[in-house]
Each structure stands twice: as structure tokens, then as C-alpha cells.
Amino acid sequence: MTGERGVSAVESAEDEHALVGAYALNAVAGAERSEFERHLAGCPLCTADVPAFREVIAGLARSTATTPPDTLVDETVARARSVPQERARRRRLWSMPRRRAREG
Amino acid sequence: MQHSEKASTRGRSPEELLRQTARGDASAFEALTRYFAPLVFGVALRVCEDRSLAEEVAQEAFLDIWRTAARYERDRGSAHAWIVTITHRRAVDQVRSERAHARRELHAKALLPMVDFDQVAEAVDEAGDRERLRTCLGVLSRLQRESIHLAFFDGLTHTQISVKLQVPLGTAKARLREGLGNLKSCMGVGEKAGGRA
């Protein structure tokens, strides 16, 4: 493994791929996130990494499991009754829900 | 883990429940919600550090799942991974908008002690998997481990991580990517299913 310092010129050449870990961890925000998603759409390397990284992350997440409030399930199920579902459609990549306003 | 009669998974896998949910099956959605409630609430609570905020985030995450279940693709990964990603994204979006209003929060949060990564491995049910996760976490460098930790458990962006760890931005990005890559190969993720374009 390389040292913890001393990256720059070499790294900037592959800067676009470099964000793939941060992206899988939801550590990329705002415009940078959308920008990376555009890169992702055309990058087979990153497209393969994202789901694999998310499996790893899901493994780490298990340690957080906590008894939820009693109301959580019932309230959620009741709220879902008034939420329409999206119909299946062709999609790209590993789609994640977006904020409702962005749905087109 | 115990589940109530009416929302039992009845031997159905989470992926199957998700597929049924996508077809509008409300009882499958209830079973799915009951099954994932501890994990979804737990992720939200870890990131938000506030029970009522975490419950709201968990509900919103489950409603996202209900709404967009048809987008889930089995060959791209497990239901677990899909659900954790949706929940975590909801949670970090929530805390980031909160922190934008109260910058002090970030500083307070940054002083929290790190969760011991031993606990992370401890939480995995199956002994073999647990051992493997422990071993794999052990092969990460300190910077890789801390970067992943700050991103996932504390919901920091890569920019905030570079500030917190006092490393250049490119280094923070690289350590996140390498750390996940190391865990992935060490744990053999992507060898059985998913992970292919």
C-alpha cells in the first residue's frame, strides 16, 4: 500500500473514479453527487464497485441494530396507504430514490 | 428475533418480500418493515443521535422503499444493502441540513469517541462471518478504518473527513475507496452474486 501522503498529480488523473468509495458511503453531497452520478453512468468500473461496496457497508451496519419504538411499524404501514408506488420501468445503474420533487 | 403472527416473513427472504412489496402487497411491506425495523432505526439513530429524528428518518426511509420497491434489482445486490443505502442516505441528508443550521453540532459530534470496530464484528450473527469481518477490519490501515467510520457512522462527507483527519482531500477519497476495496476482497463480496455491471 502507498503511504498516507504524497498523492496529487497521479491521483488527479483518475480523480473521477476516486470518488467511488465516498459515493457508496453517501459521503458525497450536492452538486458533486450529481456530477459523480453522471460519471457512474458511463463507467463500468465504478458501476461494478458501487453495489459491491454497498454489500460491505451493509455488513458494517448490522452493529447499529436497535430495538425501534413500538409505533414505528404501525405508523409507517398506515402512512404507506396514502403513498402511491412507482411503477416498474427501465432504469439505469443501481437506482436510489430521489426526493419527490425531482421525479419527472 | 421475534415477529408478530400477522407480519411474519413466513420463510420469505427479504428479496422476496421486496418483490411482493413492489407489486403493492401491503402485508409483505409490513413484514419487510417489521423485519428491517431494528436495522433501519439503528442506522438512523447512529447517524442522527436523536430518537425522534431517527424515527422520522426511519419512517421516511421505509416509505421510500414502499414507493420505489420496483427499482430494486436482485442481481445488483441484496435487499439488505439496498435498504441500508436508502436509510443511510436519508439520515445523512437529514443531519447535513440540520448541521447547516447549527454548525456547532458538527464540532460536538466530531468529539465523540469512535465506536470500537470490535462491536461491528460482534454484531454479525454467524460465527464464521463474524470472524471474517473481524479479520478483514484488522487489515485496514488506521486512516482507511477511520475514514470509513466517519463516513458511515457519523455521516460526514469526504470533505469533512479530510478536515477532521487533517489529510488532503484526495487522500480522504482514496482511503475510503481503498478501505472498501480491501474489505470487499477480504470478505469475498461480489464473488457469489451482484457486483457485475
Side-chain angles (χ1 to χ4, degrees):
Chain A
M1 206 156 303
T2 56
E4 318 268 52
R5 287 166 192 286
V7 278
S8 58
V10 180
E11 191 164 89
S12 65
E14 54 159 358
D15 217 29
E16 284 192 317
H17 302 310
L19 263 181
V20 68
Y23 177 79
L25 280 158
N26 295 320
V28 185
E32 207 177 13
R33 185 192 277 180
S34 333
E35 198 180 312
F36 184 76
E37 281 171 348
R38 277 196 294 279
H39 163 74
L40 196 54
C43 176
L45 189 67
C46 295
T47 302
D49 274 346
V50 169
F53 286 177
R54 282 177 172 163
E55 295 296 335
V56 169
I57 295 160
L60 303 178
R62 287 171 196 267
S63 62
T64 65
T66 305
T67 305
D70 294 338
T71 48
L72 177 61
V73 175
D74 291 345
E75 281 183 16
T76 304
V77 171
R79 284 178 70 186
R81 283 191 204 109
S82 57
V83 175
Q85 288 183 293
E86 283 180 7
R87 311 227 334 254
R89 60 176 175 189
R90 239 190 84 69
R91 58 230 130 147
R92 36 169 196 123
L93 300 172
W94 217 58
S95 312
M96 283 293 136
R98 285 163 193 283
R99 303 260 167 188
R100 240 162 273 193
R102 309 269 293 269
E103 295 295 338
Chain B
M1 221 177 290
Q2 281 188 328
H3 306 295
S4 81
E5 274 303 319
K6 65 175 180 178
S8 147
T9 59
R10 288 199 200 87
R12 289 169 293 179
S13 67
E15 287 75 21
E16 179 60 21
L17 289 171
L18 206 41
R19 209 156 27 237
Q20 292 171 336
T21 298
R23 293 196 291 260
D25 182 338
S27 82
F29 177 64
E30 180 172 354
L32 186 80
T33 304
R34 207 168 287 285
Y35 180 82
F36 280 103
L39 182 61
V40 165
F41 180 69
V43 168
L45 182 61
R46 182 63 183 86
V47 176
C48 299
E49 296 190 297
D50 175 286
R51 285 184 67 88
S52 62
L53 205 53
E55 184 172 9
E56 180 56 25
V57 164
Q59 287 197 14
E60 292 295 335
F62 277 124
L63 292 175
D64 278 344
I65 290 159
W66 164 255
R67 204 164 46 79
T68 64
R71 288 192 212 175
Y72 169 71
E73 292 174 277
R74 178 71 190 91
D75 59 357
R76 295 231 182 247
S78 67
H80 261 90
W82 195 67
I83 287 171
V84 165
T85 303
I86 289 173
T87 306
H88 188 257
R89 184 176 285 196
R90 270 276 174 195
V92 299
D93 283 351
Q94 178 66 44
V95 296
R96 281 172 201 161
S97 66
E98 296 263 308
R99 284 171 191 163
H101 294 294
R103 298 234 59 204
R104 278 178 310 164
E105 292 258 354
L106 178 59
H107 298 295
K109 182 130 192 164
L111 295 173
L112 284 176
M114 298 263 180
V115 167
D116 188 344
F117 256 114
D118 268 354
Q119 292 170 13
V120 173
E122 234 23 85
V124 175
D125 303 325
E126 213 264 304
D129 290 348
R130 186 166 56 231
E131 239 358 272
R132 191 153 62 147
L133 181 56
R134 196 198 308 278
T135 308
C136 293
L137 287 169
V139 305
L140 300 185
S141 73
R142 185 183 59 82
L143 262 187
Q144 289 173 351
R145 205 163 44 235
E146 288 182 359
S147 305
I148 291 175
H149 196 288
L150 291 169
F152 187 76
F153 294 103
D154 297 333
L156 300 194
T157 64
H158 67 96
T159 315
Q160 293 166 331
I161 292 169
S162 77
V163 172
K164 170 110 173 69
L165 297 179
Q166 298 178 305
V167 295
L169 193 53
T171 305
K173 290 185 210 174
R175 295 307 165 263
L176 291 171
R177 185 185 184 200
E178 291 163 4
L180 290 173
N182 288 349
L183 285 175
K184 176 191 140 188
S185 6
C186 181
M187 296 172 75
V189 171
E191 283 165 18
K192 24 187 189 192
R196 290 228 48 207

